[in-house]
């Protein structure tokens, strides 16, 4: 028998790795980055806490937005899980921090821009959900993410 914490950890891992695989399949069919516009730069990754190539940032956004969706779905059924509320707030803060910087830094193809728009819509909805349900936790998480980013500059 798997504990509740083990169940959410397993769901998180499956969602995360599945999204990496989906994005890799997408990237094999249509380019996302317009490399003729100066190549691929780097940005600070709130997950790795260091500078990473834009492709790695895209993978983080694509994967962790799905992890946040899993957290929110789990919290619909387990609304008093404080640890998971905190994890959801951290992921929301990380996503809302990095996504605009990614969109500004990346030279995207038309397909890449459409993908970034779709990701932004999903992230905005998830962040709004977290802001409504746990505003104090999201505020704290935003401060923690900003402090971590500031220490890397």
């Amino acid at each position: 028998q798997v504990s509740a914490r083990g169940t959410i950890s397993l769901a998180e891992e499956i969602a995360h790795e599945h999204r990496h695989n989906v994005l890799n399949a997408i990237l094999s069919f249509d380019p996302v980055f317009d490399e003729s516009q100066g190549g691929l730069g780097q940005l600070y990754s709130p997950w790795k806490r260091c500078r990473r190539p834009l492709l790695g940032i895209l993978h983080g956004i694509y994967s962790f937005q799905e992890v946040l969706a899993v957290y929110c779905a789990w919290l619909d059924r387990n609304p008093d899980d404080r640890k998971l509320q905190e994890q959801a707030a951290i992921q929301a803060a990380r996503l809302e921090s990095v996504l605009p910087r990614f969109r500004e830094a990346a030279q995207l193809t038309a397909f890449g821009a459409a993908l970034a728009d779709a990701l932004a819509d999903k992230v905005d909805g998830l962040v709004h959900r977290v802001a409504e349900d746990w505003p104090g936790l999201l505020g704290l998480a935003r401060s923690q993410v900003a402090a971590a980013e500031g220490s890397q500059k």
Side-chain angles (χ1 to χ4, degrees):
Q1 178 124 14
V2 178
S3 69
R5 185 64 48 210
T7 301
I8 190 62
S9 293
L10 179 61
E12 174 186 348
E13 287 295 320
I14 290 170
H16 178 93
E17 294 307 322
H18 174 72
R19 294 303 279 195
H20 280 304
N21 289 326
V22 169
L23 182 57
N24 282 329
I26 290 169
L27 293 173
S28 73
F29 288 107
D30 211 339
V32 173
F33 297 103
D34 183 353
E35 295 180 32
S36 71
Q37 298 296 315
L40 300 176
Q42 292 191 343
L43 284 177
Y44 173 79
S45 167
W47 300 284
K48 299 282 189 179
R49 296 185 179 177
C50 63
R51 293 185 65 76
R52 301 278 294 157
L54 290 175
L55 180 59
I57 300 296
L58 177 59
H59 268 278
I61 294 166
Y62 199 82
S63 297
F64 283 105
Q65 60 86 27
E66 191 65 23
V67 168
L68 179 54
V70 167
Y71 291 167
C72 289
W74 182 269
L75 286 163
D76 285 341
R77 295 185 177 180
N78 303 278
D80 298 326
D81 187 334
R82 181 68 172 193
K83 183 174 181 179
L84 196 58
Q85 291 170 3
E86 292 169 355
Q87 288 178 271
I90 286 287
Q91 290 305 334
R94 288 173 174 168
L95 286 162
E96 79 173 348
S97 168
V98 76
L99 186 56
R101 291 183 294 109
F102 170 80
R103 293 179 81 185
E104 183 179 315
Q107 299 294 324
L108 300 171
T109 62
F111 175 73
L115 178 63
D117 289 345
L119 285 169
D121 288 345
K122 177 128 186 217
V123 167
D124 286 347
L126 291 166
V127 170
H128 180 75
R129 156 79 193 275
V130 172
E132 278 189 352
D133 291 353
W134 312 287
L137 291 176
L138 183 57
L140 179 61
R142 285 172 172 154
S143 297
Q144 292 169 344
V145 168
E149 287 176 11
S151 72
Q152 295 297 312
K153 291 183 179 177

